[in-house]
Amino acid sequence: MSRRIHALRNVGTSWLGLATNFLVGFFLSPFILHRIGDDAFGLWVLVFALTGYYGLFDFGIRSSIIRYVAQYQATGDSDRLNCFINTSLLSYGAIGLLLLTVTIAGSFYVDSIFRIPASLHATAKIVFLIVGATVSLGFPLGVFGGALEGLQKFNWLSLTQVSCNLVRTLLIVVALTHGGRLLAIALITVVLNTSAYLVYFAVVRRMISLRLGWEYIDRESFQHMASFGSITFIAIIAFQLRFYSDATVIGIFIGSAAITYFSIGSKLVSYSSNVTQSMSQIFTPMSSEFNATGDTERLRRVFIMGNRACALLVFPICAALLILGRSVIEVWVGAKYVPIGYAVLAWFAIGDCTEMAQSASPKVLYGMARHRTMALVRLTEGVVNLILSIVLLRRYGVVGVAIGTVVPQLCTNLLFMPEHLCRILGVRLRTFLTDAYLAPLLLTLPMAALLLVMQRFLHPRNYLELLAQVLAGVAVYGAGVLWFLLTREQMGVQLRAKFREYRQYATGAVNLMTGAA
């Protein structure tokens, strides 16, 4: 199988998983919200935000697994590959035990630290204990998910997630329909997540003849892990500050119900971000392979073409969210959530657009093990984010938290990332910006103009009207992208040339048969 087809298969299955995740989340979230209420829904978001901080204890191990599995697989060093996976299992196992202890202790205090209604105190403790224990177990089991990424077997990751999401949705709907509450949702979620990890383990064992044992744990693998992971750990801290501090800050200073209003706007943007992230994940093992073989030209191509592919996805999504956002929220969860929800959505859409359009850049840095400077900048951004969010919350409420998150994010994305990558890879900044972003921007403008006109004359009141506007925008944008791919992209030009050759051959054959007759 060619590298291009392999990459397309990985992206295709990733998008299948993403589409399933989006549809499940989009339709399941309002179902859950209206069944359990604002306070319980906000508590659910808060628990996952709290356990999200457990990611700090990753210490960069997962990113090192992806990189070194890709490297050892590319060089055919199966012994080092087995040693690295076994050493990772031991390290993650120790971390999991530590976090399990933290979970048990924290479950006694979660109701007193945050503004949670008295009726939910017992539920908060139990849900935190269940989710925290599952996340702790996910550390050692998560080794195999990282190994699959390093092996570039994203199809297994995606198809497993699709299956688990569908089963989880069915069980949650049945449980809530029959009177289940937040505890039932927690139990169903953690059982399905654990099942996915077990599938990853079975697939990895089949693909690389994995050998498990104490004799495969060695110091060299731990040193590689610590060296690469120590820098990644800084980036992980920054990630936690950026993406999990918001709900925590709101939970401490306002209350769990306010988290619901905040999460509605941020969740819609996160769905769109996942579209790009699901594609860009293929660039880390790919970059690691090219870096190991010294293929700098292909690294540059991944940097430019990868970011252009990301921009082709994120620019129209961002435009659609900004134009249709109010209608989406109203149809999705109700008009009362629109004012705050759309304000949060607009800020996050702008910030995420500048970041997701560069999704290939950090993946290339991780693949090259050149992510130190980026990690330090992201850490600074995370600290500024936390401070600004707390300061602005007192004046602007939950919208202030969104502003505090996006302002430092824009500074990093616009002032640091493009120039930093161009310098490392020896690419002119103007060349990168033109080649990566000019075409996606121009192709997005007609779609945006159409959606603005449609919004002016027809405000969608239901899913059908909203879908009609979305499909109209997709049709206009899709036609533009198709034209671009067939006339400007190398593969498209070659496809057109082959089609012309086939048509000429077919015409000649018909003429020959007609003449013979």
Side-chain angles (χ1 to χ4, degrees):
M1 182 183 296
S2 69
R3 185 181 303 278
R4 187 185 296 272
I5 294 176
H6 183 69
L8 290 175
R9 186 185 68 175
N10 282 333
V11 172
T13 53
S14 294
W15 281 351
L16 173 63
L18 177 64
T20 305
N21 188 51
F22 168 76
L23 291 173
V24 166
F26 188 81
F27 292 106
L28 188 62
S29 292
F31 178 82
I32 295 174
L33 172 60
H34 296 309
R35 288 292 188 292
I36 66 177
D38 290 350
D39 286 315
F41 190 86
L43 173 61
W44 180 242
V45 176
L46 177 61
V47 167
F48 273 91
L50 293 175
T51 54
Y53 282 110
Y54 288 9
L56 290 170
F57 293 88
D58 177 89
F59 297 117
I61 296 175
R62 184 181 176 87
S63 62
S64 65
I65 292 171
I66 297 172
R67 181 181 191 272
Y68 284 105
V69 166
Q71 177 178 314
Y72 294 143
Q73 183 73 1
T75 57
D77 195 341
S78 60
D79 290 336
R80 297 305 315 155
L81 179 58
N82 273 282
C83 287
F84 200 88
I85 291 178
N86 276 270
T87 305
S88 300
L89 275 171
L90 177 65
S91 302
Y92 262 160
I95 293 172
L97 287 175
L98 172 64
L99 291 177
L100 182 60
T101 304
V102 172
T103 298
I104 294 172
S107 64
F108 290 99
Y109 301 101
V110 66
D111 60 326
S112 59
I113 296 176
F114 300 96
R115 295 178 182 269
I116 299 171
S119 60
L120 290 174
H121 282 186
T123 301
K125 293 180 178 181
I126 297 173
V127 170
F128 179 75
L129 183 62
I130 293 173
V131 175
T134 305
V135 173
S136 302
L137 178 63
F139 272 81
L141 292 179
V143 169
F144 305 106
L148 283 177
E149 287 193 47
L151 294 169
Q152 302 188 53
K153 300 298 182 181
F154 296 96
N155 55 319
W156 280 103
L157 290 166
S158 300
L159 293 176
T160 301
Q161 284 299 322
V162 167
S163 302
C164 289
N165 274 335
L166 293 176
V167 174
R168 179 175 65 90
T169 301
L170 177 62
L171 293 176
I172 288 176
V173 169
V174 171
L176 293 184
T177 302
H178 289 80
R181 304 297 291 175
L182 187 57
L183 184 57
I185 299 174
L187 290 171
I188 292 169
T189 299
V190 298
V191 169
L192 268 298
N193 287 349
T194 304
S195 300
Y197 288 131
L198 296 177
V199 173
Y200 301 155
F201 168 68
V203 174
V204 170
R205 289 208 66 175
R206 185 175 67 86
M207 287 185 171
I208 63 174
S209 300
L210 180 64
R211 301 184 297 273
L212 300 176
W214 290 100
E215 64 272 21
Y216 296 108
I217 299 171
D218 67 349
R219 179 177 298 179
E220 182 181 348
S221 294
F222 184 79
Q223 289 174 341
H224 283 314
M225 186 189 306
S227 176
F228 185 87
S230 60
I231 305 303
T232 307
F233 176 58
I234 298 175
I236 291 172
I237 296 175
F239 180 87
Q240 303 299 320
L241 288 173
R242 295 170 65 210
F243 294 102
Y244 290 102
S245 63
D246 293 342
T248 306
V249 168
I250 295 171
I252 292 174
F253 291 100
I254 302 180
S256 60
I259 299 175
T260 299
Y261 286 80
F262 180 86
S263 69
I264 286 170
S266 61
K267 186 181 288 290
L268 286 172
V269 177
S270 71
Y271 288 144
S272 66
S273 300
N274 290 338
V275 175
T276 312
Q277 291 287 12
S278 66
M279 180 182 69
S280 66
Q281 63 184 342
I282 70 174
F283 298 134
T284 295
M286 193 181 295
S287 300
S288 180
E289 179 182 341
F290 294 153
N291 187 64
T293 56
D295 197 338
T296 306
E297 187 57 37
R298 283 192 172 182
L299 280 172
R300 294 191 184 104
R301 184 171 178 81
V302 169
F303 168 53
I304 295 176
M305 302 300 290
N307 280 321
R308 185 167 75 185
C310 293
L312 283 169
L313 289 173
V314 75
F315 282 2
I317 292 175
C318 177
L321 284 174
L322 291 173
I323 297 169
L324 301 177
R326 290 186 177 88
S327 299
V328 172
I329 294 173
E330 181 178 346
V331 172
W332 184 34
V333 291
K336 77 170 186 175
Y337 298 99
V338 171
I340 296 177
Y342 179 76
V344 172
L345 179 150
W347 277 101
F348 275 115
I350 294 170
D352 271 33
C353 182
T354 62
E355 181 156 335
M356 292 301 103
Q358 301 180 78
S359 291
S361 296
K363 307 299 183 183
V364 171
L365 290 176
Y366 281 118
M368 297 175 66
R370 298 284 299 274
H371 54 299
R372 178 188 297 270
T373 303
M374 179 191 70
L376 294 173
V377 171
R378 289 293 191 196
L379 178 61
T380 303
E381 176 195 329
V383 173
V384 175
N385 164 17
L386 180 60
I387 296 172
L388 274 180
S389 295
I390 294 174
V391 171
L392 296 177
L393 174 143
R394 299 181 181 278
R395 181 170 182 178
Y396 301 106
V398 297
V399 178
V401 177
I403 298 172
T405 299
V406 172
V407 169
Q409 184 184 22
L410 288 173
C411 293
T412 300
N413 296 336
L414 299 179
L415 303 180
F416 167 73
M417 284 296 291
E419 190 275 334
H420 181 62
L421 267 295
C422 287
R423 185 175 66 252
I424 289 178
L425 294 173
V427 177
R428 292 181 59 191
L429 179 60
R430 182 176 180 178
T431 299
F432 164 66
L433 294 176
T434 302
D435 291 351
Y437 301 125
L438 181 60
L441 179 61
L442 294 177
L443 290 170
T444 302
L445 293 178
M447 183 208 75
L450 175 64
L451 292 179
L452 284 170
V453 172
M454 294 182 71
Q455 276 283 292
R456 181 176 179 85
F457 295 101
L458 175 62
H459 182 74
R461 299 294 181 182
N462 53 57
Y463 281 120
L464 186 60
E465 294 177 357
L466 183 62
L467 180 62
Q469 293 197 6
V470 171
L471 290 179
V474 169
V476 171
Y477 183 72
V481 171
L482 182 61
W483 169 83
F484 175 76
L485 294 177
L486 291 177
T487 59
R488 296 293 184 268
E489 283 288 338
Q490 181 181 357
M491 186 171 67
V493 173
Q494 292 173 350
L495 181 63
R496 289 178 62 223
K498 289 182 179 180
F499 176 76
R500 283 196 300 268
E501 291 176 5
Y502 173 77
R503 186 176 62 182
Q504 291 172 358
Y505 172 79
T507 302
V510 170
N511 292 336
L512 181 62
M513 292 174 64
T514 304

